[in-house]
Amino acid sequence: PAARLATSGAEAADPHQHGRGRGRGGGGGGWDLATTCAAAPTWCVSAHPEPTSIRVLVHALTLTVFGLVRMEPSLNVRAAPLEEEEDGEGGPLDEIDRPAICMGQVFDFYRAPCTKFRLRTFCYVLFLAQYAYVLAMDDGTPDVNNVELCFFTWCIGHAADELHQIYESAQRQVIHFDEEGWGAVDVVVFFILFPVVMCLRVHALAHCDELPAIAYAEDADGEPPFNSPFDNEERGARCYQLEWARII
């Protein structure tokens, strides 16, 4: 029945068991699809066609419109006995339940670990590309452009995600700060370094001159102003907040 097939994974004993297993089998780009389908509460990613990284990523980014990845009932659903219809006769799912089935497939696809892992990797690559762009386009002035605002907002999102991971690890009684140290690195970066940088940028925006003594802007001749004899007269004082923000 569609009501059971569209049931949220929250009813399972551990919703994070939806495909937690990793391995070489199943053709899922490192994810053991057999374990995934056995642990999934409702729907799981089918092994046919092979859910490659590109296929899963494009299917997720296009909001599952093109049907590049097929979903099939999990082993839990297939092992459950069929319930009888209201008229007392068992039969196939009624057409009126199709929207509920589709929504259940979509939600379980985005909850699948193989989907979350690829989306997280893709977004982190975009985050690093934006970080490089912010550093490359820094002109030494205290002005904050839209790209930098988006970058700082993304940093706040990473900090919120780190808090969510710590909370989930505590709920599941799993050690978040393992021996590899990546959890501690994330805490230092997103809870110490980036907040310090944002505070320095805000302080520089409020107190520094519009064109500090050390800036990357070009003069009228198109040359850097560092060796100009009129540099100290035409430009304001050095903005140490910006310099420390760049160093951090």
Side-chain angles (χ1 to χ4, degrees), residues 15-233:
H16 300 282
Q17 288 289 344
H18 186 181
R20 182 182 296 170
R22 296 177 64 104
R24 298 182 181 179
W31 294 97
D32 189 350
L33 292 180
T35 305
T36 301
C37 208
T42 310
W43 298 95
C44 60
V45 177
S46 175
H48 303 286
E50 181 181 358
T52 60
S53 296
I54 297 298
R55 184 184 292 272
V56 172
L57 185 59
V58 174
H59 187 66
L61 294 177
T62 56
L63 304 179
T64 70
V65 172
F66 299 104
L68 299 177
V69 176
R70 190 172 67 88
M71 302 294 291
E72 63 182 18
S74 66
L75 296 181
N76 295 332
V77 173
R78 280 180 278 179
L82 290 177
E83 297 180 0
E84 294 185 354
E85 302 290 342
E86 294 182 357
D87 55 4
E89 297 180 0
L93 299 177
D94 193 82
E95 293 295 333
I96 195 173
D97 295 324
R98 294 298 177 184
I101 296 175
C102 294
M103 292 301 297
Q105 290 176 337
V106 171
F107 288 144
D108 279 355
F109 169 74
Y110 282 105
R111 281 196 293 259
C114 60
T115 306
K116 293 191 289 186
F117 173 75
R118 286 162 175 83
L119 283 177
R120 182 181 293 271
T121 303
F122 177 76
C123 291
Y124 204 80
V125 170
L126 291 182
F127 174 76
L128 294 179
Q130 189 181 37
Y131 181 37
Y133 179 82
V134 170
L135 294 179
M137 299 305 294
D138 182 16
D139 58 358
T141 62
D143 295 333
V144 180
N145 53 37
N146 293 332
V147 177
E148 199 167 2
L149 283 176
C150 180
F151 173 72
F152 287 139
T153 304
W154 207 332
C155 292
I156 295 174
H158 275 290
D161 179 67
E162 187 67 23
L163 286 177
H164 177 68
Q165 292 181 27
I166 295 175
Y167 173 77
E168 283 193 335
S169 299
Q171 292 292 319
R172 294 159 52 192
Q173 298 182 352
V174 177
I175 299 177
H176 180 72
F177 300 100
D178 51 14
E179 297 180 354
E180 297 180 357
W182 290 113
V185 171
D186 290 339
V187 170
V188 171
V189 170
F190 294 113
F191 290 99
I192 298 178
L193 297 183
F194 276 117
V196 170
V197 171
M198 286 189 284
C199 291
L200 290 173
R201 294 292 285 115
V202 172
H203 192 272
L205 182 63
H207 296 87
C208 289
D209 297 323
E210 294 183 0
L211 191 58
I214 298 181
Y216 302 139
E218 297 179 347
D219 57 13
D221 298 329
E223 298 292 335
F226 300 112
N227 298 326
S228 173
F230 305 101
D231 186 56
N232 293 331
E233 297 179 6

